Structure formats: C-alpha cells, structure tokens
Amino acid sequence: MRRNKFLDRLGIAALPKTDETQLSARSFWWWILLGPGKFILWIQYMWPERGSGPFGSARRRNVPLVQVLYSLSFYGGAVLLLGFLLFSKH
C-alpha cells in the first residue's frame, strides 16, 4: 500500500499545471530552485527541435517534476563547469 501512495504522488507531480501566481508574488526560493528548469522548458517550447516539434515540448512545459529535473541538470552542469574552470591546469 505504501508503494501505491508513492506512485500516486509521482503521478500527481507529473500532471501539467498552470501557474496561477503572479511572477512578482513568487518567492525567492522558487526563482532559485525552479526558475532555471522553467526557463529551459520555455526555450524548448518557443523554439522546438525538428524531431519533437511543439507538441512534445508543450507536454513537458508545465510539469513540475520535469521542471525540477531540468533545474537539477542545470545546477549539476554549473557545478561541473565551475569545478573544471577552477581545477583545470592552465
């Protein structure tokens, strides 16, 4: 029964949602944690690749779970790039 609750929460997180709050009303943590992922998904939605088209990007655009994953990917890439720049030999 516990596994079903986890799957239900995961399914709810994967549902598209519209943003009902104004941009100025969002907290600082929203901008830090979800902002990069939301921005990347917006770029993909506005300028889709030839293979997936706008329909593939529209399905991912307002999904909170995907926004979190893209934000984590952004921060992981930033940490790797920063580490490379700091520790590389010139």
Side-chain angles (χ1 to χ4, degrees), residues 5-8 11 19 24 32 34 36 39 41 44 46 49 51 54-55 62 69-72 75 80 85 90:
K5 289 183 180 183
F6 172 74
L7 290 176
D8 289 340
D19 295 326
S24 61
I32 295 298
L34 294 178
F39 179 72
L41 288 167
Q44 288 181 350
M46 295 303 285
E49 297 175 10
F55 298 110
N62 287 325
L69 292 175
Y70 272 62
S71 294
L72 290 174
Y75 284 122
L80 287 174
L85 292 175
H90 295 293

Side-chain angles (χ1 to χ4, degrees), residues 14-72:
L15 290 174
K17 295 184 173 90
T18 57
D19 295 326
E20 297 173 358
T21 59
Q22 297 292 327
L23 289 176
S24 61
R26 294 182 182 158
S27 71
F28 173 74
W29 291 111
W30 183 93
W31 289 104
I32 295 298
L33 297 176
L34 294 178
K38 191 145 180 89
F39 179 72
I40 293 168
L41 288 167
W42 178 78
I43 293 292
Q44 288 181 350
Y45 175 71
M46 295 303 285
W47 294 280
E49 297 175 10
R50 291 186 182 258
S52 63
F55 298 110
S57 61
R59 280 183 248 149
R60 294 186 305 259
R61 189 169 62 100
N62 287 325
V63 178
L65 182 63
V66 177
Q67 292 172 7
V68 169
L69 292 175
Y70 272 62
S71 294
L72 290 174

Side-chain angles (χ1 to χ4, degrees), residues 72-84:
L72 290 174
S73 300
F74 170 78
Y75 284 122
V79 166
L80 287 174
L81 181 65
L82 185 63
F84 176 75

